[in-house]
Amino acid sequence: ESIKACPDTAAYCDDSSAYARAVCPETCGCGDPQRGLVFWQTGCPTACLTSTERKQLLSSPSLLCKDRTPLELKVQPGWDTAVSGLRTFLLREVMGVSNKTRTNEITGSLKDRGCSAIRDRSSTFWREWLNVVNEEQEYTGVSSESTEDLVKFMCNGPFATFCPEACDCMQAFARSQRDEASYFCPTSCAASVI
């Protein structure tokens, strides 16, 4: 199957490869913070991330500085895309395919509990991630990942749009870390700081 036009790239937008997002950013939804693109940093042009349209979406009255409930997230296609993208990231970049069970536990916790899985340090999400960090440290003597690295990666991306409280968007705006926070945090979080 050959790709002749941007609609043909839609199936590849969520892939870790940047090609589809770089060539067809509109088709891939680079300008939509609720699209759930985990790999936004590769391929999505800065113009999409700083566009007026994106800022309007983040300023929408329906996008509050409040975590969405698991039921609300289940009907958000972007949430499923983000969780699926995180799974791909973990399998390819962090843990490898040998840790498929642990990866499924982490992403399953997000699907079941939503934002509370990120916020609650006793959740399966945290327990499994801490196991990954500790096992790496035991095996190598050092750990390239810290306990906070995964959440930082998630919250500097689409998870902040769905879980602004768990991702501490108000603090991100308060600390003037407006770069990545402004790409995903609802604007109402900045207003809450003022």
Side-chain angles (χ1 to χ4, degrees):
E1 188 177 323
S2 64
I3 295 174
K4 295 181 177 146
C6 281
D8 301 332
T9 66
Y12 305 100
C13 291
D14 304 322
D15 196 65
S16 58
S17 167
Y19 179 78
R21 292 181 299 282
V23 175
C24 302
E26 283 185 39
T27 299
C28 289
C30 286
D32 183 356
Q34 295 185 79
R35 173 64 174 74
L37 291 174
V38 168
F39 297 103
W40 65 275
Q41 291 175 313
T42 56
C44 286
T46 305
C48 291
L49 301 168
T50 58
S51 72
T52 302
E53 294 82 12
R54 185 182 189 94
K55 288 175 184 168
Q56 287 172 343
L57 288 168
L58 288 169
S59 297
S60 167
S62 65
L63 202 57
L64 303 173
C65 190
K66 183 175 177 353
D67 289 351
R68 295 187 187 171
T69 67
L71 287 176
E72 291 170 323
L73 292 169
K74 284 185 195 293
V75 297
Q76 286 285 324
W79 175 256
D80 196 45
T81 300
V83 172
S84 181
L86 178 66
R87 184 179 185 281
T88 300
F89 170 75
L90 289 171
L91 288 172
R92 290 188 185 165
E93 308 293 329
V94 179
M95 298 194 279
V97 199
S98 62
N99 264 317
K100 199 174 200 173
T101 302
R102 183 156 283 145
T103 300
N104 289 340
E105 290 287 327
I106 289 170
T107 56
S109 179
L110 286 168
K111 283 187 174 194
D112 294 342
R113 297 195 53 205
C115 302
S116 68
I118 300 169
R119 205 174 37 252
D120 178 7
R121 294 290 181 125
S122 65
S123 70
T124 300
F125 168 85
W126 276 100
R127 187 174 58 251
E128 292 301 324
W129 177 243
L130 290 173
N131 286 337
V132 169
V133 172
N134 291 336
E135 284 174 11
E136 182 182 8
Q137 190 149 11
E138 284 176 25
Y139 181 72
T140 63
V142 293
S143 179
S144 61
E145 304 289 338
S146 81
T147 55
E148 302 297 325
D149 286 346
L150 181 60
V151 171
K152 185 177 179 187
F153 169 79
M154 293 166 58
C155 289
N156 282 337
F159 288 90
T161 305
F162 302 110
C163 306
E165 290 174 308
C167 287
D168 213 1
C169 283
M170 282 199 299
Q171 278 300 326
F173 280 111
R175 291 188 306 260
S176 299
Q177 294 177 339
R178 296 195 51 85
D179 299 338
E180 293 175 344
S182 66
Y183 294 155
F184 293 97
C185 287
T187 310
S188 59
C189 295
S192 301
V193 173
I194 299 171

